[in-house]
Amino acid sequence: MEAVERVSEIVSNTVPLVSPIAQVAYVFSEYSHHTGNAMSTKINAQARAHEAMGGRTYVVVSDRRTHDYAEGTLVSYSSARSTKREWLTDTERAIDVVCGRALGRRPCVARFHREALAAVPADAEALVLYNYAGAITRRLTRSFDGRIVLHLGNEVFRTWRPREIRRVIERTHATVAVSDYLADTVAQRLGSRPDNLHVLHNGVDTEHFRPANRPAGEPCTILFVGNVVPHKGAHHLVAAAHEIARRTKDFRVHIVGSAGLRPSCGLSAYEVELRRAAAPLGDLVRFTPFVDRHSLPAVYAGADLFCMPVEWEEPAGQVVTEAMASGLPVVAARSGGIPEYLGPEGVYVDPHDTAALADALHALVVDPAERQRRGQALRARAESFTWERNVQTLMRLLAG
């Protein structure tokens, strides 16, 4: 309690407080530790930090889902759309692309978010909408008197033309991206950088994710956490494990996650193939399906080394900062915004180069002193990515 009071006192003296803020994620997102949805994790962490500063956060949620995070004031709404059509269909996406380019508006995504945006309380001074830029319409700007923030966690504008991007950013008080990489992709599409386009780096909970004392003499455990889908690259780690096993058996690989963001009823075709590829390695590789947020710190605490062999331009990588906070050395692809978070103490490889990935992992498997050195350096770096700093930055942008 004293720590919360100190944070509140410091911030009240240095950062203008905007409150209440309304946070709106994807229509059918759970606001719960039972989901792996990064948006819900961010909203929960920001709500906690905002409340510690003396602010109030409304979290606008669907009444079709379960919500159990304690932070924030829940505001529920009913959606006319069935949860069986949780995502926009390919047809709806195609309609939006055509309408966006021809008319400058995306009617399907706007209609999809209409009930959620209508539920935003009238006293909210700011509205933060995650990723779904097409929902920021002229109608919204006329009906909402506060400041609008578009929060970009992915490359949202792939199918957008520059004029359409510029128009929606102009409707916001601030558009924030989770990395310089992501902000730069927007600026490159436009040919210049809008004055209200900013970088808002994600935070990490360094209280829950902490270094653990690992028992001496146990095999080095290489950890992968994330969606088990092809572009996250777990198959590259399995391929590297085969190479490492030719040199030593004193290691283990632990792959944690499922294809979806919720506990899965079954394995995807990719997950089945991944297990088939790992089978010859026996107990050197094990799989754990989806793990909820409360259980994740213990997962990191049971590892010695983290691997993120992604194939795509990862805008930030929440699991990278969690591994850093847990004091783990990290071997990762040099892609997207990962280097901004990981910094010079990360080990970077091309995941498609199996030999190079195996070499990088093996070098750390057999060198506990180097693992410790890098892990300590990354923990120190993680401590600069706090959610308090994230919200302070957001407050300054909103006050500007």
Side-chain angles (χ1 to χ4, degrees), residues 22 24 58 60 75 115-124 126-127 144:
V24 181
Y58 294 124
V60 182
V75 177
E115 292 95 348
L117 294 172
V120 172
D123 66 332
L127 163 65
F144 182 70

Side-chain angles (χ1 to χ4, degrees), residues 212 214 220-223 254 298-306 326-328:
R214 296 276 289 143
C220 175
T221 295
I222 305 168
L223 178 65
H254 189 192
V299 170
Y300 288 97
D304 302 282
L305 170 59
F306 191 79
S326 301
L328 301 181

